[in-house]
């Protein structure tokens, strides 16, 4: 603590002379950690945590010490293992970076750098002794220091100025390597640097996250509904089995076989549940598969280091892996129960230089998936997303094609099976509507964070880059089952569809569309079985009520989630006091009306 306290006074003399009186005490308190360190960053009631506004109660010196702690390991490497022979060499590198020189590290060290004070004879005896890694480490340290100072409220120009003053003070020629090592070792022995405060975001609404419909689907729609779906399938399979075994050889038995084969595809929701469960149970295995498949690895390229620094600022639990593939920009995936990684692909590194704000919007979208905790379900190598994409073609082959062939060939029960074909044809959209909408809303919710922090224009430019990436037509079409069309995402980013109200209504509206789709097909299906129009209409109405009764958990859960979501956001995020209630209240009307309809005629519950 004494070492840090003494150095704090030296730093204050150069960087924050107005804080010099208690600089030693501030340094000792920071080094001690715990409550003493916490109080250094506590603004009290007069300001915002991490700010430098009048009355905030926090000076620059604690933040400078915290930034120095964040790069202490990088700086310590300069003096370890003989990477650089003396401190003057480091000082020369810092001077070169400050002056904007593009000379090689070897030349910079050999010449002492621009405006390097003091004789250069004390530098390395030969440029050959310079290690190329030193320039990379120094650039990482400069980027991290500047980023942390900006995050705590300094302007970009002042943060850069203070960064170089800090490094020059630490490595000035008068300091011996032993003195600097003592400082860095003392800092490394203290608790880690504090998590960075999130940059204040713009936008009218500070509530960017939509209700977690993907998790709601996996729990209410599948976990709670799977037993009913299984029992319904077992009952239906029993009827088909009875038709096959108790009917004379011929039309009825053939029809039973065809229907039994087709009914297997109705087990899709159970498979979806298993896929979602697999995503949650084996995140480490999934990460290894993803990294082998895409050749993802750790990279020390400066661009990747800058990207990693940006991501760490928003979420320190996320790591970066890189691949030269050009198939996508970036995707998040789980690396454990509490850790995630973002796969960065070559096109994003190009975008990072060409349009930094658009690249940051891409990364913020992936960070939002992590914050929503849906990266376990979506992202790279997601079993859930894969099942959603492939189930439609599988169902057509297994569920529809046998019935269609039987009816087309003019089998004796062709009329009966044509009605069944209509019913089965609705299974694909009926089963896919909810998971697809849940996936779409998860993506649109992640887009909202990018829009909130970087603006709609940056996200739209990033979406335009996504469209330009090479994709075959089939992959693009199947991608619509897990990601909304780019045109829809652009309009949502611009605030179309009545903004938050449209997004809040999207889930309950899907429940209505799902019901309307089944009802529209049910009428001709019942009439093909021999019922007259009046009987068929009554049958359809009873089927609607029974379907609503079976979905009471979904309907009531949707209504409750829409009502409580604004309260949850306000409770968990105290800075979000302006969460609007009206859009969610309006959206609640649809599932509530359907729920009340389920009690008409005393339909039994499912």
């Amino acid at each position: 603590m004494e070492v840090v306290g003494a150095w704090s006074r030296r730093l204050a003399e150069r960087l924050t002379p107005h804080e010099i009186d208690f600089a030693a005490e501030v340094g000792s308190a920071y080094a001690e950690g715990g409550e003493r360190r916490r109080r250094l960053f506590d603004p009290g009631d007069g300001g915002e945590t991490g700010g430098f506004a009048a009355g905030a109660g926090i000076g620059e010196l604690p933040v400078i010490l915290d930034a120095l702690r964040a790069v202490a390991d990088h700086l310590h490497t300069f003096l370890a293992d003989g990477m650089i022979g003396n401190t003057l060499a480091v000082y020369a590198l810092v001077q070169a970076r400050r002056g904007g020189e593009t000379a090689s590290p070897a030349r910079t060290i050999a010449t002492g750098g621009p405006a390097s004070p003091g004789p250069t004879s004390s530098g390395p005896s030969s440029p050959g002794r310079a290690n190329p890694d030193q320039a990379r480490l120094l650039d990482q340290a400069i980027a991290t220091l500047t980023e942390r100072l900006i995050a705590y409220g300094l302007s970009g120009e002042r943060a850069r100025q203070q960064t170089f003053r800090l490094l020059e003070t630490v490595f000035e020629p008068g300091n011996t390597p032993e003195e600097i090592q003592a400082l860095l070792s003392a800092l490394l022995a203290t608790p880690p640097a504090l998590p960075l405060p999130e940059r204040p975001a713009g936008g009218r609404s500070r509530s960017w996250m939509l209700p977690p419909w993907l998790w709601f689907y996996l729990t209410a729609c599948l976990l709670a509904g799977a037993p009913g779906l299984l029992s319904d399938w077992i009952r239906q399979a029993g009827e088909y089995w009875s038709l096959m075994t108790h009917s004379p050889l011929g039309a009825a038995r053939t029809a039973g076989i065809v229907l039994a084969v087709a009914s297997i595809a109705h087990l899709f929701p159970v498979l979806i549940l298993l896929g979602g469960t697999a995503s949650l149970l084996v995140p480490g295995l999934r990460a290894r598969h993803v990294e082998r498949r895409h050749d993802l690895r750790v990279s020390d390229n400066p661009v990747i280091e800058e990207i990693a620094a940006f991501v760490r600022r928003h979420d320190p639990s996320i790591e970066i892996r890189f691949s030269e593939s050009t198939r996508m920009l970036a995707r998040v995936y789980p690396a454990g129960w509490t850790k995630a990684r973002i796969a960065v692909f070559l096109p994003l590194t190009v975008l990072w230089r060409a349009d930094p704000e658009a690249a940051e919007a891409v990364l913020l979208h992936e960070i939002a998936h992590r914050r929503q905790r849906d990266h376990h379900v979506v992202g790279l190598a997601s079993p859930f997303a894969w099942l959603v994409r492939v189930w439609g073609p599988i169902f057509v082959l297994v569920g529809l094609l046998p019935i269609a062939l039987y009816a087309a060939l003019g089998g004796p029960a062709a009329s009966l099976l044509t009605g069944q074909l209509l019913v089965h044809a609705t299974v694909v959209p009926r089963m896919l509507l909810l998971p697809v909408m849940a996936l779409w809303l998860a993506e649109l919710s992640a887009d909202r964070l990018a829009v909130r922090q970087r603006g709609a224009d940056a996200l739209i430019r990033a979406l335009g880059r996504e469209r330009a990436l090479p994709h075959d037509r089939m992959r693009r079409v199947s991608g619509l089952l897990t990601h909304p069309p780019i045109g829809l995402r652009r309009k949502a980013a611009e605030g179309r569809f009545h903004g938050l109200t449209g997004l809040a209504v999207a889930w309950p509206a899907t429940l209505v569309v799902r019901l309307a789709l089944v009802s529209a097909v049910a009428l001709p299906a019942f009439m093909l079985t021999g019922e007259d129009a009046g009987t068929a209409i009554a049958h359809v109405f009873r089927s609607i009520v029974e379907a609503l009764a079976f979905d009471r958990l979904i309907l009531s859960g949707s209504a409750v989630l829409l009502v409580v979501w604004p309260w949850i956001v306000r409770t968990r995020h105290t800075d979000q006091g302006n969460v609007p209630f009206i859009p969610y209240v309006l959206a609640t009307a649809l599932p509530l009306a359907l729920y009340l309809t389920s009690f008409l005629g005393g339909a039994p519950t499912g």
Side-chain angles (χ1 to χ4, degrees):
M1 286 188 291
E2 289 135 3
V3 172
V4 177
W7 269 94
S8 295
R9 184 170 180 82
R10 295 170 66 177
L11 294 174
E13 288 176 353
R14 179 76 181 274
L15 281 77
T16 59
H18 56 287
E19 299 180 48
I20 194 171
D21 293 326
F22 288 91
E25 289 82 355
V26 168
S28 297
Y30 181 85
E32 182 175 323
E35 182 63 21
R36 286 194 70 194
R37 179 187 286 189
R38 189 193 66 78
R39 285 199 296 265
L40 293 175
F41 295 87
D42 186 358
D45 297 331
E48 179 183 353
T49 302
F52 290 92
I58 173 175
E60 291 187 16
L61 184 58
V63 177
I64 289 170
L65 288 172
D66 201 53
L68 186 58
R69 171 63 181 87
V71 299
D73 54 346
H74 287 78
L75 301 181
H76 192 273
T77 305
F78 279 117
L79 304 177
D81 301 326
M83 175 173 282
I84 296 181
N86 54 51
T87 58
L88 180 59
V90 185
Y91 186 87
L93 275 176
V94 173
Q95 289 282 295
R97 292 299 184 271
R98 188 173 196 175
E101 275 199 3
T102 57
S104 67
R107 177 183 178 275
T108 300
I109 293 175
T111 61
S116 178
T120 60
S121 59
S122 60
S125 58
S126 168
R129 293 177 56 187
N131 189 326
D133 287 342
Q134 60 190 263
R136 174 181 57 82
L137 287 170
L138 182 61
D139 289 339
Q140 292 175 17
I142 291 172
T144 301
L145 286 168
T146 305
E147 176 189 43
R148 294 186 73 87
L149 295 179
I150 291 174
Y152 275 99
L154 274 71
S155 67
E157 181 181 355
R158 180 161 177 79
R160 183 171 175 81
Q161 182 184 64
Q162 293 290 66
T163 291
F164 284 107
R165 283 179 176 175
L166 171 61
L167 293 173
E168 290 166 354
T169 303
V170 171
F171 289 101
E172 62 185 357
N175 299 330
T176 66
E178 290 75 19
E179 288 178 301
I180 301 172
Q181 284 180 335
L183 167 64
L184 299 176
S185 298
L187 284 172
L188 289 171
T190 68
L194 299 178
L196 287 178
E198 187 174 328
R199 185 185 305 178
R204 290 177 295 175
S205 173
R206 304 176 72 182
S207 173
W208 62 269
M209 190 185 297
L210 299 177
W213 294 119
L214 187 56
W215 289 108
F216 178 80
Y217 172 77
L218 284 172
T219 53
C221 300
L222 292 180
L223 190 60
L229 291 168
L230 277 173
S231 62
D232 185 59
W233 179 80
I234 291 172
R235 177 191 57 78
Q236 188 181 63
E239 293 176 357
Y240 294 150
W241 178 258
S242 177
L243 186 64
M244 288 187 294
T245 56
H246 294 89
S247 299
L249 187 63
R253 177 173 294 187
T254 304
I257 294 173
V258 171
L259 291 173
V261 173
S263 71
I264 296 174
H266 287 249
L267 290 175
F268 163 74
V270 180
L271 294 177
I272 286 290
L273 176 60
L274 294 176
T277 304
S279 298
L280 299 175
L281 295 181
V282 288
L285 182 63
R286 177 177 167 188
R288 288 192 293 273
H289 168 69
V290 167
E291 288 164 7
R292 283 196 304 268
R293 178 184 176 187
H294 296 281
D295 191 24
L296 292 164
R297 61 190 183 277
V298 176
S299 173
D300 59 2
N301 187 284
V303 176
I304 300 300
E305 291 293 342
E306 292 173 21
I307 290 172
F310 173 81
V311 171
R312 282 195 303 270
R313 174 184 163 187
H314 291 82
D315 192 334
S317 70
I318 299 179
E319 300 173 341
I320 298 296
R321 295 294 184 268
F322 173 71
S323 170
E324 290 91 354
S325 170
T326 59
R327 297 178 63 186
M328 57 193 85
L329 290 172
R331 290 290 187 276
V332 69
Y333 60 97
W337 293 102
T338 59
K339 291 189 289 187
R341 290 174 184 159
I342 293 178
V344 170
F345 297 88
L346 189 61
L348 185 70
T349 65
V350 177
L351 187 63
W352 184 261
R353 293 300 189 214
D355 190 344
E357 286 194 347
E360 289 176 357
V362 173
L363 293 169
L364 285 167
H365 174 95
E366 302 304 323
I367 291 168
H369 280 305
R370 162 67 173 146
R371 292 189 183 181
Q372 295 170 169
R373 300 295 190 268
D374 56 26
H375 65 293
H376 287 282
V377 184
V378 298
L380 283 177
S382 164
F384 178 88
W386 181 81
L387 283 168
V388 170
R389 286 195 298 267
V390 305
W391 184 75
I394 290 175
F395 181 80
V396 170
L397 292 175
V398 177
L400 297 183
L401 190 59
I403 300 177
L405 289 174
Y406 183 88
L409 293 174
S415 177
L416 173 64
L417 262 69
T418 301
Q420 290 293 324
L421 179 63
L422 288 174
V423 174
H424 278 254
T426 65
V427 171
V428 174
R430 180 163 55 90
M431 293 294 189
L432 286 179
L433 273 174
L434 290 183
V436 167
M437 182 53 65
L439 288 166
W440 281 20
L441 289 174
E443 296 298 326
L444 293 173
S445 181
D447 281 349
R448 282 168 60 81
L449 179 63
V451 170
R452 180 188 173 201
Q453 296 210 4
R454 289 298 176 271
D457 289 342
L459 178 65
I460 290 171
R461 293 197 303 273
L463 291 173
R465 191 62 173 257
E466 182 83 25
R467 176 178 286 173
L469 293 175
H471 291 298
D472 59 74
R473 188 178 300 274
M474 285 300 297
R475 184 179 295 274
R476 192 179 296 275
V477 171
S478 66
L480 294 177
L481 294 175
T482 55
H483 286 73
I486 290 179
L488 176 63
R489 294 176 67 181
R490 292 179 58 167
K491 291 178 181 178
E494 293 168 351
R496 308 279 185 89
F497 313 115
H498 304 286
L500 181 59
T501 302
L503 294 174
V505 171
W507 177 263
T510 305
L511 298 174
V512 176
V513 171
R514 179 169 170 257
L515 183 66
L517 178 66
V518 176
S519 304
V521 176
L523 182 61
F526 285 132
M527 295 182 68
L528 283 171
T529 62
E531 295 183 357
D532 58 72
T535 305
I537 292 173
H539 201 165
V540 169
F541 179 75
R542 287 196 302 272
S543 298
I544 291 174
V545 176
E546 289 173 359
L548 290 175
F550 184 82
D551 287 341
R552 279 178 188 166
L553 177 63
I554 300 174
L555 298 171
S556 59
S558 299
V560 169
L561 183 56
L562 285 166
V563 169
V564 304
W565 182 248
W567 293 101
I568 293 174
V569 173
R570 288 192 176 196
T571 301
R572 293 184 59 188
H573 306 283
T574 55
D575 68 329
Q576 298 193 10
N578 61 339
V579 180
F581 284 87
I582 298 300
Y584 294 105
V585 172
L586 293 174
T588 306
L590 284 175
L592 187 59
L594 295 176
Y595 179 77
L596 295 176
T597 304
S598 72
F599 291 95
L600 295 178
T605 59

